[in-house]
Amino acid sequence: MSRPIQLNAENNQTKAPSSDGSTYGKIISVRGSVVDVWFDHDLPAIYSVLYAGVDRQVTIEVLTQLDEHSVRGIALNPTQGLARGMRIETEGKQLSVPVGKEIIGRMFDVFGKTIDHDPPLPDMAQRSIHQLPPPLSKRSTKSEIFLTGIKAIDVLIPLERGGKAGLFGGAGVGKTVLLTEMIHNMVGHSNGVSLFCGIGERCREGNELYHEMKDAGVLQHMVMMFGQMNEPPGARFRVGHAALTMAEYFRDDEHRDVLLLIDNIFRFIQAGMEVSGLLGQMPSRLGYQPTLATELSKLEERIANTDAGAITSIQAVYVPADDLTDPAAVHAFSHLSASIVLSRKKASEGLYPAIDLLQSNSKMATPGTIGDRHYALAQEIRRVLAQYEDLQDIIAMLGLEQLSAIDRDLVNRARRLERFLTQPFFTTEQFSGLTGRDVSLEEALRGCERILAGEFNDLPESAFYMVGTIDEVIKKAGSSGKSANLKSETAAKPAVAVDK
């Protein structure tokens, strides 16, 4: 490294700060996304942004100061066309994104530029993506429940307002639909704003999600930001911070609750691993960066419930090779307050939302937080569903008739509970033809209590499927019963002889 620095020092083509506040340096080496830059004067600070190339098309973020004259940074764009000796410009500022009400309904990249082909934004206030987590003195001291209007989540997996929930699910089990419904209900419950952050998303996924949100009518209440899979690791590593900066504006400046959806938090860790490797840092266990815990905490700790508002986050979590002891999974789990597991088996049975109620859990499900009545009811539901799960093999081999009367009664209640915890969504009305339902927590608890008490064992199971409250179940069963009686009466009438 000393030779190229010496050559550039001799040539001495760098300049002191100009009248517009910019400082100029020049490139001394380019190795993939890693760029080393020489400065004669005013070495840029860590996280400063450097610009290179025609029309400043390449953005470089300083991550290391090598000595008093040179810095090392990671390019957030492809580095094709960069060469030794090329001039670098910096204003000493950090990477920033626009904040304001005008960003709602738009889609951005990591630089805060719109990528949805709509008219450009007006000149707006910019905010650095590197912000400190809110201090403990500003954080809320009480635990509050974040109500979603979705029965299965509110009753059994209560989410924390200002907390972080992990969403585990493969393709085709209803993950996007569930996220879309939460965005829709967020607006109805708290006049909040939703923000979707795609880290390492495929172009197809981002395009499909954008149009699905638009068709569902929720795009005007949300902001979308994507760092695509084909972008350099530096851009994927910073897109989460950029999205959080926008979320913090709505929380701190407009005092609104924010629902932040991150897909996928593992790809943030993966991008950090690539950046660490490019910078030549010594790898840790399984090749992860030695700063894994710190980098993840810098992102996650900014998601918090303060006296101004709350950022509630739902994060898709990929578990490498299904190994829960993987360092990425261990560190991600330590930040989560709830886990929502989506089941392909439930989806194949048509039980939507396809949440595996026994695998999912929440740290908020304690008597001190949700109350004794709610806690006892949730535990009883889990017990009934767990016993039904144990009996399913016997039912498959011998049939329901071979069970004892007590077990048959338990199976009846469990099957009605499973169907009652399904729900028609607002965002799928155009596909299912069913009007969406937003069910209050009290109505959901009352329905579950009455089913567990065996009040509705004589009603058909179909009456519990895809309804909102328990009153709708009674109404649906009554209308189906009337139509069944009408059919039976029609069939029982004797044929009338016609006199010819």
Side-chain angles (χ1 to χ4, degrees), residues 400-413:
L400 194 62
E401 297 77 17
Q402 300 301 316
L403 298 179
S404 65
I406 295 172
D407 285 344
R408 275 202 303 274
D409 177 63
L410 182 136
V411 168
N412 285 335
R413 284 182 290 146

Side-chain angles (χ1 to χ4, degrees), residues 209-377:
L209 186 67
Y210 176 79
H211 289 292
E212 283 174 11
M213 297 295 179
K214 201 169 186 177
D215 294 342
V218 297
L219 189 62
Q220 67 268 26
H221 303 293
M222 68 179 301
V223 183
M224 303 180 81
M225 178 171 280
F226 287 96
Q228 296 177 24
M229 192 173 275
N230 63 325
E231 293 183 30
R236 286 182 273 123
F237 188 50
R238 289 300 179 214
V239 70
H241 299 89
L244 254 173
T245 302
M246 290 182 173
E248 286 168 340
Y249 162 78
F250 290 109
R251 179 190 67 189
D252 300 334
D253 294 36
E254 296 206 1
H255 305 293
R256 296 172 71 177
D257 281 358
V258 183
L259 178 62
L260 174 64
L261 310 166
I262 300 177
D263 187 11
N264 185 310
I265 199 64
F266 172 76
R267 294 197 188 116
F268 166 76
I269 295 171
Q270 202 172 37
M273 181 168 59
E274 292 177 49
V275 169
S276 174
L278 288 168
L279 292 175
Q281 294 178 349
M282 183 71 71
S284 181
R285 191 163 76 89
L286 298 183
Y288 287 102
Q289 62 270 41
T291 52
L292 166 61
T294 306
E295 289 169 359
L296 187 61
S297 296
K298 277 184 180 178
L299 184 77
E300 297 280 10
E301 289 302 304
R302 289 169 65 180
I303 302 169
N305 181 5
T306 69
D307 48 12
I311 299 175
T312 304
S313 175
I314 298 173
Q315 308 170 6
V317 182
Y318 168 71
V319 181
D322 293 332
D323 179 14
L324 294 175
T325 64
D326 187 273
V330 169
H331 286 287
F333 290 150
S334 66
H335 291 278
L336 301 178
S337 56
S339 300
I340 302 172
V341 181
L342 298 182
S343 160
R344 195 168 300 280
K345 180 173 177 288
K346 297 275 185 190
S348 65
E349 294 172 4
L351 300 174
Y352 288 103
I355 299 172
D356 189 327
L357 300 170
L358 296 177
Q359 292 289 327
S360 305
N361 61 77
S362 169
K363 292 178 183 175
M364 301 298 287
T366 61
T369 306
I370 61 177
D372 292 330
R373 176 203 173 200
H374 185 172
Y375 177 75
L377 184 62

Side-chain angles (χ1 to χ4, degrees), residues 166-239:
L167 183 62
F168 305 84
V173 294
K175 186 167 55 178
T176 303
V177 173
L178 188 59
L179 293 180
T180 313
E181 185 71 5
M182 285 187 184
I183 291 168
H184 177 279
N185 292 355
M186 173 78 176
V187 179
H189 283 184
S190 57
N191 189 32
V193 62
S194 301
L195 206 148
F196 183 91
C197 174
I199 305 176
E201 285 278 274
R202 299 171 183 86
C203 303
R204 171 188 61 78
E205 292 173 335
N207 186 54
E208 286 175 1
L209 186 67
Y210 176 79
H211 289 292
E212 283 174 11
M213 297 295 179
K214 201 169 186 177
D215 294 342
V218 297
L219 189 62
Q220 67 268 26
H221 303 293
M222 68 179 301
V223 183
M224 303 180 81
M225 178 171 280
F226 287 96
Q228 296 177 24
M229 192 173 275
N230 63 325
E231 293 183 30
R236 286 182 273 123
F237 188 50
R238 289 300 179 214
V239 70

